[in-house]
Each structure stands twice: as C-alpha cells, then as structure tokens.
Amino acid sequence: MRPLPLRVVWSAAAAALVSATGLTGSAHAVTYGTPTIKLSASYLSGAVGSTGDPVVTVTVAQSGADASALTVAASRTSTAGVAGTGDVRVTGTGGTRTVAVTAHARGYADLTLKVTGLGGKTATTTLHYAASPAVQHSADARYLTGASDASAGVDVGGGYVVVANDEDNTLRLYDGAASGAPVRTWDLDNALGADKEVDIEGAARVGNTVYWTGSLGNNKDGEYKADRNTVFTTTVSGSGAGTQLAFGSAGHRLRDDLVAWDEANGNRYGFAAGTATGQVPKQIDGFNVEGLEFAPGSTTTAYVGFRAPLVPPQTGGKALIVPVTDMDQVVRGAKATFGTPIELDLGGLAIRDLRRNDQGQYLIVAGSWAADDNSDPYALYSWDGVAGNRPVKLLDLPTADAGGWESVVSVPDLSVAGARVQLITDDGAADLYGDGVEAKDLTHPEWQKSRTTWFALG
C-alpha cells in the first residue's frame, strides 16, 4: 500500500486536535486597547526637606487587561534640579495609584507620567509640580493647600482645624496632621451678604459657637470697605473629619462703636484718625484687629486684640486689648459696650492672635504692626488673662522662612512639661516658588498654601 501524502497526515492530526479540545471555530489573537491615565489633580505642590507632602492619585485602565498588569512611572521632567523622574514615587497596584514627589530645589517642574499596558501600548499625562524652599522645624511642619492667607484657626477635635483665609469668605476644614487640600469648605459670601472679603482675622470658640471677626480696618489703600466691619458666628456640629458648620448671625457696627467709644474717652487710642480715609491700617498708629478670645470665665465678654495701634504709637509701645462686654449681642447687630482697656507689654510687638484653653491659660502670638511679615520678629507669650498681670515670653518664633505667624490652633495645658502648640502662618505675600509671584496671586489653588508647625513649650 502506498503511504499517505504528508499533507494528509497533517490534516488528520489537526482534525484530531480539534476533536480533542472542542475547538471548532477560528482562533483569534487577544487585542488590547490604548491605556488611559487620569490624575485627581493636574497641579501639586511640595517643599524641600518636608515630611508628608501632599500627593495626587492617578487612575489607569486598559481594555482587555487587568489594571494590576499596568505599570506607571515618571518618564520625563522639565526641571531635573527641582524634581527628577527618580524623585516620583508611584505606589499601589490596582486601578488607582498614589503619586508622591520629593523636591530638591525651589521652583517648578512638569513631570510626565507614563502608563505602560499590555501589548506595549502606552499613554501619558503631565503633573505640574511646584516646590517651595526648605523651612526650619520641617519635621513638624505640614502644608494646608487651597489657599495661602490663613488668618485664624479653630480646633474642632481629632486633630482637625477650621481655618479662615483673609482673602475670601470661605472657611476650610483641614486635617491638621497631614499636608493637603481641605476636607470640606463653606463659602459664606451669600450668608454674609458680602461683595468683598470680610478680611477675617480672629476667631474664638464658646461651646459650639465660633465667633469670627474681620480686621475692622481700612484696606491696604486706606479705603473703607464695609464688608470688613463684620463680626459673625458659625455653629459647629460633629467633630473631626465629620465637622459641619452652619452660619449663625452677623453684626456690622463694631468698628463704629469702637471709634465712638474712643472719642468719648478723649481719643486716647486715636481710633478716629486710624480709620480716616487714606489711613493705611498696618501702621503703628493705624487701626487693625487681629485677635479675638473671651475673658476668663466669660461667654459674653470678648477680648479684641489689636495689631495696630501700639500704645503709645511709637517704638516700644504696648499691645492693646479692648474688652467687648456684650459680644454675644454684637454679633446680632446690637451696639457694643466696652470694659476697661488692657495694655500689655509684649516687647514692642502687637497682637497677631490670642487663644485661651479651658484652664484659663492664654497664648498670644506677638508680631509687628507692619506689613513686612517675613523679616520682623515674632514671639509667643503666655498670659493669665488678667489685666495688670504681665505676659511671659515663652519663645521667639523663627522668621527666616516665608510667611508670618498668624494663628494658634489651641492652647495645651501649659503646666505640663513638654507641651506642644500648633501655629499657622499666613503665606499670602510670600514668593514661594522663586518667580516673584505672591502666593495669593497664584492661579492654581493646589500651589497656594499656608504652613502649620508644632512647637515645644518650655
């Protein structure tokens, strides 16, 4: 018998294989789509030498492939001196990854992130990164992004803090232990009926009510702006990350009442002159409120602390506090009544913030009346809130870094050894990234930031 041709043998073998495997159709190669890559935010800021800088998340996907099979890495940088590709860390293995960047120098860098999928297919996106310079106490510093002019802060428990910004009327809730964007925000423009910023500068909490005050002074050009003549309240519910705020009430006559009171008492403090048209508020004889806290044991008498004027208005003058004895009614539009003014020796410095704890212990952030925040001295004082008792300097605050010390989050028990206090800076006038642009004028909120730092007392 003649042997079968080779092609017949192969055909028979193929038929047997199909029969054995159950494959009766045509086989097709697996195809993969082009990967996708999307950032939670296209802008990110960091700081040289910082701990726990803000991060962004990146979401990746590819049709025909499991997300865990995709790789993400930085493939290019525009400025290696600021941050190189090796300074970008991508963690996570699923469809959502975390991107962190380590800064080496102040400035900007555009970082290209590339996702590589199956079949060798890729896609890219760009992260616009900005790095601010190193600061003192960097291990204890965190950055609150989304705004740069932090001006007052209130502890709401669990390490969270509600922060006011003096360039808008939005209150922001932050995790005070972590750098990053606010957890929640409340825009109070409509509630306040404000066309411009109230210039919020001070805050004090009584129970679940937070009292807020505007600066009450003219703007930087010496013009009266009615929205700044505002004190108002918010009501707190919940705590920590679950904090909610509701607008309470507002009053708009405290400035006028202060001027009238001073005029009726011989113009001792020059409030009429300090509020006159053309008078710049941040002058040694100006009119500018920055501190607010309640008197010892009181829920109605509030201490209003002045950045200007000093008393007398000359080098070495004392800081001024005017007690408002009916602040609970003033925030509802009532006429203010006043107690005996208090003049404090803060070494020639003025009040930048004032905060009390449940033990009746006060901390005062003392700084210059002037506007050159990044060079003038700052100090932290303790006080018992009693007129005639002299405050005690606890420490000099660092001034070589950008930003002015503006707010005390809360006062620890000052009798406990090693107590630590958290302070916040106003960085609005700072050139954070070396391009001559003030932080308040940066176009991307992710690049705007204030700094919070913990200091040991004693």
Side-chain angles (χ1 to χ4, degrees):
M1 182 173 65
R2 295 177 62 188
L4 292 173
L6 183 59
R7 64 183 179 182
V8 174
V9 174
W10 278 110
S11 295
L17 177 62
V18 168
S19 176
T21 60
L23 298 174
T24 58
S26 300
H28 295 281
V30 177
T31 59
Y32 303 103
T34 300
T36 58
I37 179 169
K38 184 177 181 181
L39 292 165
S40 59
S42 296
Y43 296 84
L44 181 67
S45 66
V48 178
S50 67
T51 300
D53 262 342
V55 299
V56 294
T57 58
V58 59
T59 303
V60 294
Q62 184 184 27
S63 61
D66 188 274
S68 62
L70 311 182
T71 60
V72 181
S75 61
R76 183 181 178 277
T77 177
S78 65
T79 317
V82 172
T85 56
D87 299 314
V88 180
R89 303 179 309 284
V90 181
T91 56
T93 57
T96 301
R97 320 281 175 95
T98 299
V99 179
V101 182
T102 299
H104 287 294
R106 179 191 194 191
Y108 298 95
D110 283 346
L111 299 164
T112 300
L113 302 178
K114 182 166 78 172
V115 56
T116 302
L118 298 184
K121 295 186 175 182
T122 64
T124 62
T125 191
T126 300
L127 177 62
H128 306 285
Y129 182 71
S132 56
V135 297
Q136 300 170 75
H137 305 277
S138 61
D140 293 312
R142 299 293 183 269
Y143 293 87
L144 311 179
T145 65
S148 60
D149 294 77
S151 54
V154 175
D155 186 354
V156 291
Y160 285 76
V161 56
V162 175
V163 178
N165 181 65
D166 63 27
E167 290 292 314
D168 59 33
N169 300 321
T170 297
L171 302 178
R172 296 168 172 85
L173 175 67
Y174 290 97
D175 179 352
S179 295
V183 175
R184 187 171 290 115
T185 63
W186 297 270
D187 184 342
L188 300 182
D189 278 343
N190 291 336
L192 289 165
D195 296 321
K196 297 289 185 179
E197 72 272 12
V198 167
D199 193 23
I200 302 170
E201 293 290 354
R205 182 173 180 176
V206 177
N208 289 327
T209 300
V210 182
Y211 291 75
W212 306 88
T213 182
S215 66
L216 308 185
N218 294 341
N219 70 7
K220 64 181 180 181
D221 298 318
E223 300 169 338
Y224 173 67
K225 298 296 182 181
D227 289 329
R228 295 177 178 233
N229 187 7
T230 298
V231 289
F232 68 96
T233 62
T234 56
T235 301
V236 179
S237 60
S239 63
T243 297
Q244 294 288 347
L245 295 182
F247 179 78
S249 62
H252 304 282
R253 58 175 296 170
L254 182 54
R255 164 182 162 132
D256 307 281
D257 292 341
L258 281 162
V259 171
W261 166 79
D262 189 43
E263 287 182 318
N265 288 276
N267 286 309
R268 173 172 172 75
Y269 300 117
F271 286 171
T275 56
T277 300
Q279 175 65 52
V280 176
K282 296 174 184 177
Q283 297 289 335
I284 200 167
D285 59 351
F287 182 93
N288 194 64
V289 168
E290 292 217 355
L292 181 68
E293 186 53 273
F294 281 78
S298 180
T299 60
T300 59
T301 297
Y303 285 164
V304 174
F306 285 78
R307 177 172 177 169
L310 289 183
V311 184
Q314 62 188 38
T315 301
K318 292 183 178 180
L320 175 63
I321 290 175
V322 175
V324 178
T325 60
D326 59 343
M327 183 61 86
D328 58 322
Q329 299 304 311
V330 170
V331 294
R332 293 179 171 87
K335 179 180 179 180
T337 59
F338 303 101
T340 303
I342 301 169
E343 299 171 9
L344 298 178
D345 183 356
L346 301 179
L349 299 178
I351 292 171
R352 303 299 292 272
D353 197 23
L354 182 66
R355 181 68 72 244
R356 185 193 75 183
N357 63 16
D358 291 340
Q359 290 81 34
Q361 302 165 330
Y362 290 74
L363 285 177
I364 300 171
V365 176
S368 173
W369 48 265
D372 46 344
D373 291 333
N374 296 344
S375 59
D376 289 323
Y378 284 85
L380 191 66
Y381 284 80
S382 65
W383 184 45
D384 62 5
V386 177
N389 288 355
R390 186 170 182 170
V392 177
K393 183 192 281 192
L394 299 179
L395 56 91
D396 290 308
L397 296 171
T399 57
D401 305 319
W405 299 105
E406 193 80 3
S407 179
V408 181
V409 174
S410 62
V411 179
D413 185 345
L414 301 179
S415 66
V416 175
R420 283 160 49 92
V421 63
Q422 188 177 23
L423 306 182
I424 304 176
T425 61
D426 178 340
D427 286 42
D431 175 10
L432 293 176
Y433 307 116
D435 57 353
V437 178
E438 291 188 350
K440 69 178 70 178
D441 295 327
L442 292 166
T443 55
H444 305 291
E446 297 89 350
W447 287 352
Q448 294 186 8
K449 59 186 179 182
S450 294
R451 175 167 41 96
T452 176
T453 306
W454 288 90
F455 292 94
L457 303 177

